[in-house]
Amino acid sequence: MRSRPVLVYDGDCGFCTTAANFAERRVRPRCEIVPWQFTDLDALGVTPERAAYEVLWVTPSGAVDGGPRAVAKALLSAGGVWTPLGAVLLLPGMRWAARGIYRLIAAHRHRLPGGTPTCTAPRRPG
C-alpha cells in the first residue's frame, strides 16, 4: 500500500505535462505526480483507458477520483491559498460547472499552450 496519494496524468500530452509540472513547482500538492504511461496502473486499480481519459487522484486506500474532483483533491492537499479553490470545486453547483469546463478543456487540449496532436482526448471509457 502506498503512503501518499498519487496524481496520475497523461504524459503523452504536452498540455497535461505542462499542467503537471506547474502543479509540482507552484501548487505542491502532497502527493506523487506521475504520468500514467510510467506507473503500475494495475497496482493503482486503474485502467489505461480511464487514465488516458482524465487526470486521476488515487488515495493510499485505493479510492479513485477523476477529472475536476482529482484536481480539487490535489489543490486541497496543497493547503494554503489553494485550499479555497479546491473546496469551491467540490461544492454541489460548482461540481457540475467544473465537470463541463474540464471536459471542454480536455476536448481541446491539443489546441492549448503546450498541446500537440497527441493531446487529442480519447472518448469516455465504456
Side-chain angles (χ1 to χ4, degrees), residues 25-36:
R25 283 190 323 272
R26 305 287 183 176
V27 179
R28 297 183 172 196
R30 292 180 186 98
C31 67
E32 186 179 344
I33 301 175
V34 298
W36 71 263

Side-chain angles (χ1 to χ4, degrees), residues 10 36-37 47-56 109 120-122:
D10 185 351
W36 71 263
Q37 293 87 347
T47 65
E49 293 79 19
R50 183 161 186 204
Y53 178 73
E54 62 186 348
V55 65
L56 301 170
R109 62 187 179 165
T120 303

Side-chain angles (χ1 to χ4, degrees), residues 63-117:
V64 180
D65 286 299
R69 281 189 65 83
V71 173
K73 299 286 178 100
L75 292 169
L76 288 169
S77 79
V81 300
W82 301 106
T83 300
L85 182 55
V88 165
L89 289 175
L90 294 176
L91 291 173
M94 285 303 296
R95 284 194 307 243
W96 179 83
R99 190 75 173 152
I101 292 167
Y102 182 90
R103 293 299 349 133
L104 183 66
I105 291 170
H108 298 283
R109 62 187 179 165
H110 61 286
R111 296 179 183 167
L112 297 172
T116 66

